[in-house]
Amino acid sequence: MNAFTGDYLLTDDEWEELVWVWRRTDVPKGCRVEIIDGLVTVVPYSANAHHVVADRVQRSLYEVIPEGWGVYQRLAVADPPGLGLYVPDLAVVREKALPTGDDSFVSASAVELVVEVTSKATADNDRVKKVARYAQVGVPLYLLIDSLAPGGPTVTLYGEPTGDVYRVLYGGSSAKPSHCRSPSTSDSTPATSPSADPSSPQQRRDHHQNRHRRHRRQQDRLAGQYLADPVAGRVREEVLGGR
């Protein structure tokens, strides 16, 4: 590759050309520049609530990640095969994998966990394109905090990537946790339909206590399967269960 003085670049490599443009894209302070599907994209500055959520997750992760790992805000993650350069809200990376010298991004293969908090400008990419690309490059865990989900704010932890598809490890409302059922897990207690909801105060209390116990048993079974990974376990505990 030969870069000339001025605004010209000579290269036969599309990825190098995109990175060259990305590095030279001038945007207002606080905005982010990403490359998604080969398109250089400017992401507007996020609202304060967005930063509060990211800060809370970052604090929680720092309590449990192994020595020599870090949680970084706006660390660029490179995906050359997908012509992508993503700047997640948080990325967990081993310190020894961090860029050195003039390098300004880290390979996606070095990332242990990415966290995206949706905004109006990023929601579509966070929910669809980034899920597929993070899985394709093998990022072990992807935490999506979606405050703009149609049914209300949700938190989804993706893992076990295969091709461009993740498995949903945990998912639910950010206000009240719910737990995704593993295909190998079955609940032996049948669910009660709304029409069968008891009417007396004592029956209603018993009904809700039994439902809580069923949910708790399901939670424990899922925990036994997935909490072997300390990062995934803490994310679930702090983000889903700690509210």
Side-chain angles (χ1 to χ4, degrees):
M1 179 183 69
N2 296 313
F4 296 96
T5 302
D7 297 328
Y8 298 95
L9 176 75
L10 178 63
T11 178
D12 295 325
D13 189 310
E14 186 175 5
W15 167 250
E16 289 186 351
E17 181 179 358
L18 285 168
V19 171
W20 188 85
V21 173
W22 174 78
R23 284 177 169 150
R24 288 160 177 77
T25 300
D26 188 19
V27 297
K29 184 178 180 180
C31 294
R32 288 181 289 170
V33 182
E34 296 185 303
I35 303 173
I36 299 177
D37 285 346
L39 297 176
V40 178
T41 305
V42 177
V43 181
Y45 188 78
S46 302
N48 288 336
H50 184 110
H51 300 293
V52 170
V53 171
D55 178 70
R56 177 174 181 176
V57 177
Q58 185 175 33
R59 288 170 181 267
S60 298
L61 288 172
Y62 262 123
E63 295 180 9
V64 296
I65 60 174
E67 188 71 24
W69 292 26
V71 185
Y72 304 98
Q73 296 187 29
R74 299 196 171 191
L75 175 64
V77 176
D79 169 23
L83 296 181
L85 191 61
Y86 320 118
V87 186
D89 290 288
L90 297 172
V92 175
V93 180
R94 298 172 189 264
E95 292 177 2
K96 64 181 181 181
L98 288 174
T100 58
D102 294 333
D103 291 339
S104 51
F105 51 80
V106 65
S107 170
S109 63
V111 179
E112 305 291 341
L113 164 71
V114 289
V115 180
E116 296 283 8
V117 182
T118 61
S119 65
K120 290 182 179 179
T122 68
D124 289 342
N125 287 331
D126 291 343
R127 295 168 184 160
V128 181
K129 293 182 179 180
K130 286 188 176 181
V131 173
R133 290 311 309 169
Y134 285 144
Q136 186 70 57
V137 297
V139 175
L141 294 167
Y142 174 31
L143 178 65
L144 176 62
I145 302 174
D146 192 349
S147 61
L148 303 175
T154 61
V155 178
T156 305
L157 178 63
Y158 297 95
E160 302 177 16
T162 302
D164 62 355
V165 177
Y166 274 117
R167 182 174 183 173
V168 176
L169 303 187
Y170 298 100
S173 165
S174 62
K176 181 179 180 180
S178 63
H179 310 285
C180 296
R181 187 185 300 277
S182 164
S184 61
T185 302
S186 61
D187 194 335
S188 59
T189 307
T192 303
S193 65
S195 60
D197 192 46
S199 56
S200 74
Q202 183 60 48
Q203 286 177 319
R204 284 198 295 270
R205 283 194 293 271
D206 292 343
H207 170 75
H208 290 306
Q209 288 176 356
N210 289 336
R211 186 166 60 182
H212 175 75
R213 291 191 188 100
R214 290 197 298 271
H215 287 175
R216 186 68 185 180
R217 286 196 297 271
Q218 180 181 348
Q219 170 186 326
D220 291 342
R221 286 195 294 270
L222 290 171
Q225 182 172 358
Y226 292 119
L227 297 191
D229 186 302
V231 176
R234 188 63 175 191
V235 166
R236 179 204 162 275
E237 179 184 344
E238 290 297 327
V239 180
L240 289 181
R243 291 177 181 267

